[in-house]
Amino acid sequence: MACKWKGIIPPVVTLFDEKRGFDWEANDFLADYLIQRGVHGLLYMGSTGEFSSLTFEERKVFAERMVRYVDGRVPVLIGTGSTSLKETIYLSQHAESIGASGVLVVNPFYWKYTDRQLYDYYTSVAKSIRIPLLIYNIPLLTGQDLSPDLVLRLAVEHENIVGIKDTTEKLGHIRQLIRIKEQREDFAVFAAFDDLLLPSLQMGAAGAINGTAVFLPELSVQLFESFHAQQYEETLKANESILKLMAIYELSQPLYIAIKEAVHQLILGRHTALRPPVKECDELEDRIRIFLNKNNIQSYREARNRLVFPKNRK
């Protein structure tokens, strides 16, 4: 199964209205914005998309609505992982039925499992669907790092396990995963931390599923495209700007709140609601504004003017 996944795939935030339901207008606008800025795909229901705070039915509703709205303009990846294998299979089959291009499956969290148990978990999911499956390794939140040997076995034995998002700061771990291409040429490795995008590309990674691409996709797309065009001066310039953006992850807990606030200020021009236990924070709004001004990011607003968000909505 040839993998269509490559490039910059933002892990899109999920935007809510004042009643804590989905703000469809804002979510649609953000999708349009990201697609117009040249991203190579969209990930919904990832960690940044707050899948862990949504109900089973909400995950289905949101996935179906956004796949329908994107309407094939770019590939759409849906996060379907859960602590329950049965639920993961059901959500993955649902993603396939609504026309999603693939699924991103995190390993079951809470308990630690053996490699054999994790192999059985991913095998069961892969066999239940026909669309591509990307493994999601995020030991920071799951408490368990997926070994390159385990990932290699899964990639070699299951055609529709086509890649991995490796959310680790260890470049050596990414390098080991990229070596899987020696036995599975089309296997795609995506970095998650923005500062590892360039070194990962240099080693043969497919791209990145990185947080700063949610609010400033231009930089990551520019880095990816200029790297493959061998325009290395432009590549290094974009990388220098991206490195400065890493500080945003230190401005909130959980980190997706800061990303969402940057989306509010840079893209939407208005606020959407947060879901409990997370609450609105005026201090964060100020911190993000200072951060954007300090890094001269407000200059990117000129491109934004091609899309006008309805100002009469609150």
Side-chain angles (χ1 to χ4, degrees), residues 267-306:
I267 300 174
L268 298 184
R270 61 120 165 146
H271 282 82
T272 60
L274 299 175
R275 274 201 170 184
V278 176
K279 296 182 179 180
E280 283 75 9
C281 176
D282 293 337
E283 292 181 1
L284 176 61
E285 183 177 348
D286 293 338
R287 287 198 298 269
I288 295 298
R289 183 176 294 107
I290 292 170
F291 168 81
L292 297 176
N293 289 331
K294 178 181 178 181
N295 290 285
N296 214 20
I297 298 173
Q298 296 288 5
S299 62
Y300 285 86
R301 278 176 170 260
E302 294 181 4
R304 170 186 175 272
N305 290 337
R306 299 174 189 171

Side-chain angles (χ1 to χ4, degrees), residues 105-296:
V105 180
V106 69
N107 52 298
F109 37 94
Y110 193 80
W111 289 110
K112 289 188 177 181
Y113 293 93
T114 66
D115 273 9
R116 175 65 198 190
Q117 292 163 340
L118 291 168
Y119 173 84
D120 290 343
Y121 176 86
Y122 279 107
T123 294
S124 297
V125 181
K127 287 183 175 180
S128 74
I129 55 175
R130 295 180 299 275
I131 59 175
L133 184 158
L134 273 74
I135 296 168
Y136 184 13
N137 183 38
I138 181 166
L140 176 68
L141 298 182
T142 64
Q144 185 165 12
D145 199 2
L146 302 181
S147 71
D149 287 341
L150 168 64
V151 179
L152 171 62
R153 185 182 175 195
L154 288 166
V156 169
E157 297 185 12
H158 301 285
E159 184 183 13
N160 66 330
I161 296 182
V162 299
I164 184 170
K165 175 186 178 183
D166 198 34
T167 308
T168 173
E169 295 180 308
K170 297 179 291 185
L171 198 57
H173 193 270
I174 295 176
R175 184 185 68 250
Q176 288 179 284
L177 292 171
I178 291 173
R179 290 189 62 185
I180 293 174
K181 291 167 65 70
E182 297 172 7
Q183 299 186 51
R184 171 79 185 270
E185 185 178 357
D186 67 335
F187 192 75
V189 177
F190 290 88
F193 288 108
D194 311 75
D195 55 345
L196 297 186
L197 170 55
L198 178 55
S200 296
L201 289 175
Q202 291 172 320
M203 293 189 296
I209 303 175
N210 55 317
T212 67
V214 178
F215 64 88
L216 199 60
E218 297 95 328
L219 281 179
S220 293
V221 170
Q222 179 186 356
L223 191 157
F224 180 84
E225 300 290 358
S226 60
F227 175 83
H228 284 284
Q230 299 183 357
Q231 299 171 346
Y232 297 125
E233 184 175 345
E234 290 299 315
T235 301
L236 293 174
K237 182 179 178 181
N239 186 60
E240 182 179 353
S241 297
I242 288 173
L243 293 178
K244 295 176 182 178
L245 298 182
M246 291 293 292
I248 195 170
Y249 297 124
E250 302 171 7
L251 298 180
S252 73
Q253 185 65 30
L255 60 82
Y256 68 78
I257 307 174
I259 294 176
K260 187 174 287 191
E261 178 58 34
V263 167
H264 292 161
Q265 295 190 28
L266 279 177
I267 300 174
L268 298 184
R270 61 120 165 146
H271 282 82
T272 60
L274 299 175
R275 274 201 170 184
V278 176
K279 296 182 179 180
E280 283 75 9
C281 176
D282 293 337
E283 292 181 1
L284 176 61
E285 183 177 348
D286 293 338
R287 287 198 298 269
I288 295 298
R289 183 176 294 107
I290 292 170
F291 168 81
L292 297 176
N293 289 331
K294 178 181 178 181
N295 290 285
N296 214 20

